[in-house]
């Protein structure tokens, strides 16, 4: 198994649902260890840059507006196959299509206010983590259960 890192964002609806703790608990239970974590209010230009790949999509302006509508929690998660594992625990982008027991199925309000973001590849994970965190902000510790 490959030890990987991935970027996770707890979106404004997650904070407004009072679900930070529940979502982080699910990630940790899945073996995804937060190695960097920060609360943040995204600016419009930060959100536009982060989601630049979606710039031509019809939902882009609404997505930027939503992601800047309230604070988020930024996290770098580390674990075996962290990118795929995080996406499995999150569930499908559209909560109506997300599998039972996934974060989006249980907490998300809509395809836009879908509670969490997770990197979609190891290459993008590196880019996305570097977008928000300096290398010196990533910590090391062992989890012993
Ligand atoms: P995320 O995983 O952060 O990546 C892009 C985001 O765009 C997605 O989650 C949703 O919040 C948002 N979005 C809004 N509408 C759509 C759509 N129709 N398809 C995909 N993503 C959408």
């Amino acid at each position: 198994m490959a030890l990987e890192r991935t970027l996770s964002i707890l979106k404004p609806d997650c904070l407004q649902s009072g679900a930070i703790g529940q979502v982080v608990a699910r990630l940790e239970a899945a073996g995804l260890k937060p190695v960097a974590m920060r609360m943040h209010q995204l600016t419009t230009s930060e959100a536009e840059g982060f989601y630049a790949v979606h710039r031509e999509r019809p939902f882009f302006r609404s997505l930027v507006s939503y992601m800047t509508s309230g604070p988020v929690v930024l996290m770098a998660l580390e674990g075996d196959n962290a990118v795929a594992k995080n996406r499995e625990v999150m569930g499908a982008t559209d909560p109506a299509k997300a599998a039972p027991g996934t974060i989006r199925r249980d907490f998300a309000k809509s395809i836009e206010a879908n509670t969490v973001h997770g990197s979609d590849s190891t290459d993008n994970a590196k880019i996305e983590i570097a977008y928000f965190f300096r290398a010196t902000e990533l910590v090391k510790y062992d989890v012993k259960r």
Side-chain angles (χ1 to χ4, degrees):
M1 290 242 229
L3 188 67
E4 296 173 351
R5 289 176 181 155
T6 190
L7 184 81
S8 174
I9 304 178
L10 306 188
K11 297 187 179 187
D13 66 282
C14 180
L15 278 64
Q16 287 155 17
S17 297
I20 297 172
Q22 292 175 77
V23 171
V24 172
R26 288 189 187 202
L27 297 170
E28 288 186 299
L32 295 163
K33 177 173 72 178
V35 293
M37 185 183 279
R38 180 168 83 244
M39 301 190 89
H40 186 59
Q41 172 65 55
L42 287 168
T43 65
T44 296
S45 64
E46 278 177 326
E48 286 172 347
F50 183 76
Y51 281 118
V53 67
H54 296 303
R55 189 170 288 279
E56 303 307 324
R57 306 285 287 275
F59 57 79
F60 180 71
R61 291 266 45 108
S62 177
L63 174 61
V64 168
S65 169
Y66 171 63
M67 289 299 289
T68 56
S69 67
V72 300
V73 178
L74 305 168
M75 291 185 287
L77 304 174
E78 186 178 275
D80 286 329
N81 295 326
V83 172
K85 172 60 72 179
N86 186 38
R87 291 177 74 77
E88 183 186 318
V89 176
M90 288 193 303
T93 304
D94 182 352
K97 296 180 184 153
T102 60
I103 291 168
R104 284 168 168 161
R105 174 70 169 258
D106 292 346
F107 295 100
K109 309 273 187 258
S110 67
I111 195 168
E112 180 172 81
N114 63 353
T115 310
V116 277
H117 166 84
S119 308
D120 65 2
S121 67
T122 52
D123 285 348
N124 280 339
K126 290 188 181 99
I127 293 166
E128 292 184 353
I129 290 170
Y131 193 82
F132 290 117
F133 293 105
R134 292 188 295 273
T136 52
E137 293 180 286
L138 274 65
V139 301
K140 290 186 200 311
Y141 65 100
D142 291 327
V143 174
K144 297 179 192 95
R145 291 199 167 85

